[in-house]
Short mmCIF file of all heavy atoms in Angstrom, two decimals:
data_model
loop_
_atom_site.label_atom_id
_atom_site.label_comp_id
_atom_site.label_asym_id
_atom_site.label_seq_id
_atom_site.Cartn_x
_atom_site.Cartn_y
_atom_site.Cartn_z
N GLU L 57 4.83 4.29 5.47
CA GLU L 57 5.83 4.75 4.39
C GLU L 57 5.36 6.16 3.90
O GLU L 57 6.35 6.90 3.53
CB GLU L 57 5.79 3.77 3.31
CG GLU L 57 6.36 2.40 3.59
CD GLU L 57 7.79 2.41 4.11
OE1 GLU L 57 8.59 3.19 3.51
OE2 GLU L 57 8.04 1.59 5.06
N PHE L 58 4.14 6.53 3.71
CA PHE L 58 3.78 7.66 3.06
C PHE L 58 2.62 8.39 3.86
O PHE L 58 1.50 8.68 3.32
CB PHE L 58 3.22 7.44 1.63
CG PHE L 58 4.14 6.69 0.81
CD1 PHE L 58 4.08 5.33 0.51
CD2 PHE L 58 5.42 7.30 0.21
CE1 PHE L 58 4.86 4.65 -0.35
CE2 PHE L 58 6.26 6.52 -0.52
CZ PHE L 58 5.96 5.24 -0.87
N PRO L 59 3.03 8.79 5.08
CA PRO L 59 1.92 9.30 6.00
C PRO L 59 1.37 10.72 5.42
O PRO L 59 0.11 11.01 5.55
CB PRO L 59 2.62 9.59 7.34
CG PRO L 59 4.00 9.63 7.12
CD PRO L 59 4.18 8.72 5.81
N GLN L 60 2.23 11.53 4.92
CA GLN L 60 1.78 12.87 4.35
C GLN L 60 0.82 12.76 3.19
O GLN L 60 -0.16 13.40 3.06
CB GLN L 60 2.92 13.71 4.06
CG GLN L 60 3.72 14.23 5.42
CD GLN L 60 5.03 14.93 4.98
OE1 GLN L 60 5.45 14.77 3.91
NE2 GLN L 60 5.54 15.58 5.98
N GLN L 61 1.33 11.99 2.21
CA GLN L 61 0.57 11.77 1.00
C GLN L 61 -0.72 11.07 1.42
O GLN L 61 -1.88 11.47 0.77
CB GLN L 61 1.36 10.80 0.02
CG GLN L 61 2.52 11.55 -0.58
CD GLN L 61 3.72 11.41 0.39
OE1 GLN L 61 3.65 10.93 1.46
NE2 GLN L 61 4.93 11.96 -0.11
N LEU L 62 -0.71 10.16 2.26
CA LEU L 62 -2.03 9.48 2.61
C LEU L 62 -3.04 10.45 3.30
O LEU L 62 -4.16 10.52 2.97
CB LEU L 62 -1.80 8.26 3.61
CG LEU L 62 -3.05 7.59 4.10
CD1 LEU L 62 -3.66 6.96 2.95
CD2 LEU L 62 -2.58 6.52 5.06
N GLN L 63 -2.48 11.28 4.21
CA GLN L 63 -3.34 12.38 4.86
C GLN L 63 -3.82 13.32 3.82
O GLN L 63 -5.09 13.70 3.76
CB GLN L 63 -2.50 13.10 5.95
CG GLN L 63 -3.43 14.03 6.67
CD GLN L 63 -4.53 13.29 7.34
OE1 GLN L 63 -4.27 12.18 8.00
NE2 GLN L 63 -5.83 13.81 7.33
N ARG L 64 -3.18 13.77 2.83
CA ARG L 64 -3.54 14.67 1.74
C ARG L 64 -4.69 14.04 1.00
O ARG L 64 -5.60 14.61 0.60
CB ARG L 64 -2.37 15.01 0.88
CG ARG L 64 -2.63 16.26 0.10
CD ARG L 64 -1.32 16.75 -0.74
NE ARG L 64 -0.16 16.54 0.05
CZ ARG L 64 1.07 16.02 -0.46
NH1 ARG L 64 1.12 15.51 -1.56
NH2 ARG L 64 2.05 16.04 0.37
N HIS L 65 -4.45 12.70 0.64
CA HIS L 65 -5.48 11.97 -0.15
C HIS L 65 -6.79 11.89 0.58
O HIS L 65 -7.87 12.10 0.07
CB HIS L 65 -4.91 10.55 -0.49
CG HIS L 65 -5.93 9.69 -1.11
ND1 HIS L 65 -6.32 9.94 -2.37
CD2 HIS L 65 -6.68 8.64 -0.66
CE1 HIS L 65 -7.29 8.96 -2.78
NE2 HIS L 65 -7.42 8.22 -1.69
N ARG L 66 -6.71 11.59 1.93
CA ARG L 66 -7.86 11.48 2.70
C ARG L 66 -8.62 12.86 2.76
O ARG L 66 -9.85 12.89 2.89
CB ARG L 66 -7.51 10.92 4.12
CG ARG L 66 -7.30 9.44 4.05
CD ARG L 66 -7.07 8.91 5.45
NE ARG L 66 -7.04 7.36 5.31
CZ ARG L 66 -6.96 6.65 6.29
NH1 ARG L 66 -6.71 7.22 7.56
NH2 ARG L 66 -6.87 5.37 6.27
N ASP L 67 -7.79 13.88 3.09
CA ASP L 67 -8.44 15.21 3.10
C ASP L 67 -9.10 15.63 1.72
O ASP L 67 -10.17 16.17 1.78
CB ASP L 67 -7.31 16.32 3.33
CG ASP L 67 -6.80 16.17 4.78
OD1 ASP L 67 -7.43 15.55 5.67
OD2 ASP L 67 -5.67 16.74 4.99
N ARG L 68 -8.59 15.24 0.66
CA ARG L 68 -9.14 15.56 -0.66
C ARG L 68 -10.36 14.71 -0.89
O ARG L 68 -11.29 15.24 -1.47
CB ARG L 68 -8.06 15.29 -1.68
CG ARG L 68 -8.25 15.90 -3.11
CD ARG L 68 -7.17 15.68 -4.00
NE ARG L 68 -6.67 14.45 -3.98
CZ ARG L 68 -5.37 14.14 -3.94
NH1 ARG L 68 -4.50 15.18 -3.84
NH2 ARG L 68 -4.96 12.89 -3.89
N THR L 69 -10.39 13.42 -0.61
CA THR L 69 -11.52 12.71 -0.80
C THR L 69 -12.59 12.68 0.25
O THR L 69 -13.71 12.20 0.08
CB THR L 69 -11.11 11.14 -0.97
OG1 THR L 69 -10.37 10.65 0.27
CG2 THR L 69 -10.29 10.98 -2.12
N GLY L 70 -12.20 13.32 1.54
CA GLY L 70 -13.23 13.37 2.47
C GLY L 70 -13.30 12.14 3.37
O GLY L 70 -14.23 12.01 4.33
#
Side-chain angles (χ1 to χ4, degrees):
E57 298 296 326
F58 305 106
Q60 294 172 339
Q61 291 84 355
L62 180 63
Q63 187 60 43
R64 198 174 320 130
H65 172 73
R66 286 186 168 177
D67 291 344
R68 194 173 45 229
T69 59

